[in-house]
Amino acid sequence: MTDTILPNGIQEKAGQNGYFKKGCNPMALTGRSKLQNQRASLNQQIIKQMRMRAGAENLLRATSNNKVREMVGLELSYVNSNLQLLMEQLEALNSSVDVYQNAQEATSIPLIPLGLKETKEVDFSVPFKACRTPSRSDAGIELLTKYFSHLPLLESRFLSPTRQLGIFFTWYDSFTGVPVCQQNVSLEKASILFNVGALYTQIGTRCNRQTSTGLDEAITAFQKAAGVLNHLKETFTHTPSYDLSPAMLSMLIKMMLSQAQECLFEKIALSGIRNEFFSLLKMAQEAAKVGDSYDQVHQSMSQTPIKDNVPFFWSTMAQVKTHHYRSLAHYFVATALLDHQLSPQDDEDLQEKTLSQVYDSMLDGRSPLDILRKREDRRHIGKAHLRRAVMGHEEALRIHGLCRHLRKLDVLQEILQASHKRSLAKFTRNDQEDEFTDYLEAPDIISKTDHKAEMEMPVSTKVKVTDFFHRLGPLSVFSAKQHWTAPRTVRLKLEDRDMGFTLKGEPPVQITSLDPLCHAAVDGLKEGDYIVAVGDIDCKWMGVSEVMRLLKDVDEEGIDIRVVSLMDSSQPMPTKSATYCGGLPKTYSMICLAFDDHDKSPKGRKVSKKGSFLSWGLKNRLKSSSTLSLPTADFSGTLPWNKHCPTFPSSSSYNDPALY
């Protein structure tokens, strides 16, 4: 399915500027499409195994036969092994970053993109189509955002909170592959926003980071990805999918900002780093900033429950980059101290001030001025920084070797080895001391940057769209909140140049002051009816003056009008919307609506607009949808063969309030 929101009977406009957009061809055998097809296949296999596990657990609870329990226990251990293997394959897909990198670039450290969430076709009464194959470009972003902007219109038109239409939205967790199925359109909105952020990460990863323009595009893409994910975290609450939980989104935001900060560092170093005292110290603090950013990302990935589901490739990559950039910072400081001695022509005060801002505390009570003036002190401290640089690069190479997916990235290994050799060679050239000398420990470098990566909310998420159901009439009147009778035909005839009623209101116009003895009333016209057509002319969007213009030329035979009546608007108790998470426990969402029922008159009646789900997490907390997790018995702890698997979410893990 490549189209988005293309109803029957509407042809796509010619040219690239047509309103309806298309995604990528899902049959195209590109590297990215192959990964998505593999992800979809794994999701189906995970569903099958989870259903088998749920059935086996139910049988185990129901039977008391020891032989049957032994057979079921054996089957459960087999199913859990299969689930573990499937999760390892899904982790391998999330670790396949080389497919998303720029094909012409082979000298930059790879960046981590997010894979798109998988979904199923949505069977609307009017065939809308979900965006499953957006192109990795601005056109793909526009495709998703237009679909996202249409969802509130669709929800207001057809998805009543008091009755279900049997439309289910199914999405698969990006990290666990666990399916989530809801009748609430909020899941669709949140998942589409997640895919918008994921698409920005893929665009940023694809940019050519060997050019200034490519780096600018990558920085913008990662900052927009962080902005979209932050918007998702703040506005969509009680999300049933783990990859949409606040804890996971917070980690992803930090990772996107760290990658944007890394691109900013690369942009500064693109034109070359001058071998000059002040320039080297500035680059040292910039590199330390990148290292600290990735250290925060790794700490977030190491916390429960994120560490159980984040790919091992991601956490090791964050560790490697932390050690790599901190080692670069120590190398730059060492070069500044060893290669640039203080001369009479140098600005001594400025160098002292700059060096004092690099360290949080000085060694052995030494002042920055003493270090600058004494050649031996400069050499000792410079060697200490080189020693930390060599040790940091060695640690990065060691961690790199622990992950089999990282070992496949030849460019990363080459960069780490080249940096290590450079630091080691400089250390060897300056190593003139005895082997048993007590070496100094270089202090930490304060991270500082003049170009901090900031979250950027893309304007495209608020794109204006044309309502496909504009012909149904004003949304404030003809919405899913109101119950209407079927249109009926009434014959109007003049009686003494009077039709027996008056009109009022904005489009559509409403019947008022109806004479119960007039011909129209006898033919079925009621007080408060809305006129939707006069003859063959649709007038749902016409005001009083326009409708009167159509009625003024009525002859003795009269004219037919079509009217609808508002049915009893008393709302029953909201129904419950079930959420099915594969073999996981069910959660139920109670949707609470606020409506103004103080004024019963048609003239003063105000249709209270339902608050958008985007605002539930901010301004309308008291009116928000709340998800209640029902207590579920956990029998897994009593089964010796059903041990908790650290890399696959068990049924009970989704009831942990710490996830949300």
Side-chain angles (χ1 to χ4, degrees), residues 333-353:
V333 173
T335 304
L337 293 175
L338 294 173
D339 295 356
H340 300 279
Q341 302 296 330
L342 187 63
S343 63
Q345 294 80 18
D346 293 332
D347 189 339
E348 187 177 275
D349 293 337
L350 183 58
Q351 287 198 10
E352 179 186 9
K353 179 180 178 181

Side-chain angles (χ1 to χ4, degrees), residues 351-450:
Q351 287 198 10
E352 179 186 9
K353 179 180 178 181
T354 304
L355 185 62
S356 64
Q357 294 174 349
V358 172
Y359 298 128
D360 190 16
S361 59
M362 302 303 296
L363 286 171
D364 300 332
R366 293 183 175 93
S367 66
L369 189 58
D370 291 338
I371 297 175
L372 292 173
R373 288 176 175 175
K374 297 178 180 179
R375 182 181 296 270
E376 283 301 311
D377 285 352
R378 290 177 74 118
R379 191 169 65 83
H380 283 303
I381 297 177
K383 283 191 59 180
H385 281 292
L386 281 177
R387 192 177 304 108
R388 287 196 63 175
V390 172
M391 294 173 60
H393 286 306
E394 290 175 349
E395 181 66 12
L397 286 168
R398 185 189 69 81
I399 297 173
H400 172 270
L402 296 177
C403 179
R404 59 188 178 92
H405 298 295
L406 273 181
R407 291 196 298 268
K408 297 178 182 179
L409 300 177
D410 296 334
V411 61
L412 177 60
Q413 185 175 8
E414 291 173 1
I415 292 174
L416 294 177
Q417 289 177 346
S419 300
H420 175 256
K421 289 179 180 178
R422 182 179 60 181
S423 299
L424 187 59
K426 195 171 191 65
F427 180 81
T428 304
R429 288 196 303 268
N430 290 272
D431 189 13
Q432 301 174 358
E433 298 179 6
D434 195 0
E435 182 180 0
F436 301 101
T437 302
D438 185 17
Y439 293 112
L440 294 173
E441 180 69 22
D444 293 331
I445 299 172
I446 299 176
S447 61
K448 181 182 177 182
T449 179
D450 296 332

Side-chain angles (χ1 to χ4, degrees), residues 86-349:
L86 291 173
M87 281 301 298
E88 291 178 357
Q89 295 180 39
L90 186 60
E91 180 180 349
L93 288 183
N94 288 327
S95 304
S96 302
V97 300
D98 52 336
V99 175
Y100 300 95
Q101 309 299 318
N102 187 284
Q104 301 175 353
E105 184 181 351
T107 58
S108 297
I109 299 178
L111 300 175
I112 300 176
L114 293 178
L116 297 179
K117 287 171 67 70
E118 273 292 319
T119 183
K120 288 183 177 180
E121 294 281 359
V122 181
D123 184 17
F124 288 103
S125 56
V126 176
F128 274 57
K129 297 182 179 180
C131 309
R132 297 177 63 183
T133 57
S135 60
R136 193 167 35 151
S137 62
D138 291 338
I141 297 293
E142 183 182 5
L143 182 78
L144 292 179
T145 52
K146 280 192 173 182
Y147 177 69
F148 176 81
S149 300
H150 274 287
L151 287 176
L153 298 176
L154 175 72
E155 181 181 19
S156 300
R157 287 284 188 190
F158 304 109
L159 304 181
S160 172
T162 60
R163 60 185 184 277
Q164 302 296 340
L165 299 182
I167 299 174
F168 289 89
F169 301 94
T170 303
W171 287 87
Y172 297 88
D173 193 290
S174 180
F175 298 99
T176 65
V178 176
V180 177
C181 183
Q182 274 193 349
Q183 290 182 306
N184 193 341
V185 74
S186 302
L187 174 63
E188 184 84 354
K189 294 179 183 177
S191 299
I192 288 293
L193 267 188
F194 182 92
N195 275 359
V196 171
L199 202 56
Y200 272 120
T201 67
Q202 296 182 15
I203 292 174
T205 307
R206 183 187 186 183
C207 294
N208 184 3
R209 287 152 53 208
Q210 296 303 310
T211 64
S212 179
T213 303
L215 282 169
D216 287 335
E217 293 174 353
I219 294 167
T220 302
F222 284 116
Q223 290 183 151
K224 287 183 177 180
V228 172
L229 295 176
N230 184 67
H231 180 63
L232 175 59
K233 184 188 75 169
E234 291 183 348
T235 54
F236 285 83
T237 57
H238 308 293
T239 51
S241 182
Y242 177 75
D243 54 359
L244 302 178
S245 65
M248 179 61 75
L249 290 175
S250 297
M251 184 276 295
L252 293 177
I253 292 169
K254 292 180 181 178
M255 186 171 71
M256 296 307 116
L257 291 178
S258 296
Q259 296 189 140
Q261 194 67 50
E262 182 180 4
C263 292
L264 285 168
F265 173 81
E266 292 177 346
K267 183 180 178 181
I268 299 173
L270 182 63
S271 58
I273 302 173
R274 291 182 300 168
N275 192 2
E276 187 265 333
F277 183 82
F278 299 105
S279 178
L280 288 169
L281 292 185
K282 177 182 178 181
M283 292 303 297
Q285 291 187 298
E286 292 281 355
K289 178 64 177 179
V290 179
D292 289 351
S293 299
Y294 276 112
D295 185 45
Q296 294 178 9
V297 173
H298 179 256
Q299 290 178 10
S300 297
M301 292 180 179
S302 303
Q303 295 177 359
T304 306
I306 298 177
K307 66 178 181 180
D308 295 332
N309 296 284
V310 167
F312 181 64
F313 170 86
W314 288 17
S315 59
T316 51
M317 176 69 90
Q319 270 188 295
V320 166
K321 290 191 176 184
T322 299
H323 290 291
H324 172 68
Y325 282 104
R326 285 180 173 173
S327 299
L328 284 182
H330 285 289
Y331 176 81
F332 289 140
V333 173
T335 304
L337 293 175
L338 294 173
D339 295 356
H340 300 279
Q341 302 296 330
L342 187 63
S343 63
Q345 294 80 18
D346 293 332
D347 189 339
E348 187 177 275
D349 293 337

